[in-house]
Amino acid sequence: MTSMLERPAPPPAVGKLVDQFELGLDAPICLTWELTYACNLSCVHCLSSSGRRDPRELSTEQCKSIIDELQKMQVFYVNIGGGEPTVRSDFWELVDYATAHQVGVKFSTNGVKIDKKVAARLAASDYVDVQISIDGATAEVNDAVRGPGSFDMACRALENLKEAGFKDAKMSVVVTRHNVSQLDDFKALADKYDATLRITRLRPSGRGADVWDDLHPTAGQQRELYNWLVANGEGVLTGDSFFHLSAFGDALPGLNLCGAGRVVCLIDPIGDVYACPFAIHEQFLAGNIVRDAKAGMGGFQSVWQTSELFQELRSPQTSGACTKCAHFDACRGGCMAAKFFTGLPMDGPDPECVIGNGELALAGAGEIPKSSVDHSRTGQRKTPRASVPLTLMMRPPAKICDENPLAGME
């Protein structure tokens, strides 16, 4: 009797890339890391309500241990933000340590410390990318949101980078009701400095919740934004943040999926790990790197791979009535953080649903949650649409959390 060789089982169906991402990855594609809550500005829409340094901020050695872990996990790059990350005295030490350990660095800054010397240093590195935040194509529009003098500061940083020969700096814009008409001007401004324009969505997170009603684009402006992206989107980055607009027609380039806890997450200045940079709330807190490590539960890798919250986010999600919508495959129910911080359920529509379901849902929305983190220098939120004076503390700090974020500057 002749034996029969067993045929190997056929490989499992791969499916669409977005379906694989929905189930989560062994390591995040992009990790956002807010190094500090200290900041020289007080932007009215700041997602982390930054201003004062937290006295529990991770030490240099703790940060290096996290970088070691990211290297082992083969995290391709880390997106560093804040607050204003460059005001940390060990910022450049950490950047150099990351790049020396095969972890690329992209950092977001308002430009306060990007002088000619720093620009030249950045231009000499192949593993660091810089993103300058600016929210108006004119000082009048920008400074009403980010503070007097912030437009000139950002432009000066962009100019210094260009003169130093830095290749492909990013100019990052949060789209608001007051700057959506300036999209062409933003593109021209980016071109002027040989930079790439990056536009992102305003979320009602942190202090952004206080100005959401006055700053988020109107329904007509959402359509205007979508049309502009269709016509000009090639060469413009969006951070995959406008997938809710895909319900207007053809899907926009990008992931078109909420990646929270699946392919992205946030490490905050004290080591707390959140599912999303825009969802800083205890409901989306997956663990703390330092506390869990002391308890013998591992560090970041353990939080990413085993936390109950992330496991839940990677399981099949119910999207309520949205699943019956003809546009569900394009928008996937919208942004988790935008829904949560406007009082809508996770299986409800996006508050900016382009076919109007969000507006109807908001009429019956429940209590609006507040972020569990607020490091605003005043200790209280700003009133909507209020201009924010740009004042820098020059007195010696009375306590750690009042430490001048510009200490050591010439």
Side-chain angles (χ1 to χ4, degrees), residues 58 62 288-299:
L58 297 175
Q62 286 174 320
N288 180 278
I289 296 173
V290 178
R291 183 178 63 247
D292 291 352
K294 288 181 178 179
M297 299 167 61

Side-chain angles (χ1 to χ4, degrees), residues 88-286:
R88 271 192 65 138
S89 59
D90 60 357
F91 175 73
W92 296 111
E93 180 181 352
L94 293 176
V95 169
D96 290 343
Y97 189 85
T99 56
H101 288 75
Q102 294 81 48
V103 178
V105 172
K106 298 185 179 184
F107 73 91
S108 300
T109 174
N110 56 44
V112 63
K113 288 200 170 184
I114 310 298
D115 56 19
K116 293 182 183 297
K117 182 178 179 180
V118 168
R121 173 178 182 166
L122 289 168
S125 173
D126 293 328
Y127 302 103
V128 180
D129 197 11
V130 187
Q131 180 171 284
I132 307 295
S133 297
I134 190 167
D135 291 327
T138 59
E140 179 183 11
V141 175
N142 177 85
D143 292 4
V145 172
R146 303 187 63 83
S150 56
F151 179 80
D152 290 340
M153 183 171 66
C155 289
R156 184 165 55 249
L158 287 165
E159 180 65 32
N160 288 339
L161 289 169
K162 178 182 178 180
E163 288 184 358
F166 185 89
K167 302 298 183 183
D168 196 26
K170 309 299 185 294
M171 190 180 86
S172 182
V173 175
V174 177
V175 178
T176 70
R177 188 171 302 181
H178 303 296
N179 68 19
V180 71
S181 63
Q182 296 184 317
L183 291 171
D184 287 333
D185 297 327
F186 280 125
K187 184 64 171 64
L189 189 63
D191 291 343
K192 174 183 176 181
Y193 295 115
D194 296 334
T196 295
L197 175 61
R198 181 179 187 269
I199 62 174
T200 59
R201 183 182 180 185
L202 174 72
R203 267 85 162 199
S205 307
R207 287 196 294 264
D210 301 329
V211 296
W212 169 259
D213 289 337
D214 290 321
L215 287 188
H216 81 92
T218 65
Q221 289 175 327
Q222 297 277 4
R223 166 65 82 168
E224 180 183 344
L225 172 59
Y226 173 78
N227 290 340
W228 190 88
L229 285 171
V230 170
N232 303 278
E234 189 172 344
V236 175
L237 304 177
T238 64
D240 292 334
S241 64
F242 295 109
F243 56 91
H244 69 294
L245 298 181
S246 293
F248 275 130
D250 294 334
L252 296 172
L255 187 55
N256 286 319
L257 168 75
C258 174
R262 298 180 175 114
V263 296
V264 299
C265 71
L266 166 75
I267 299 176
D268 85 345
I270 64 172
D272 280 340
V273 181
Y274 292 92
C276 170
F278 302 100
I280 302 177
H281 187 278
E282 57 187 13
Q283 183 163 326
F284 301 104
L285 177 60

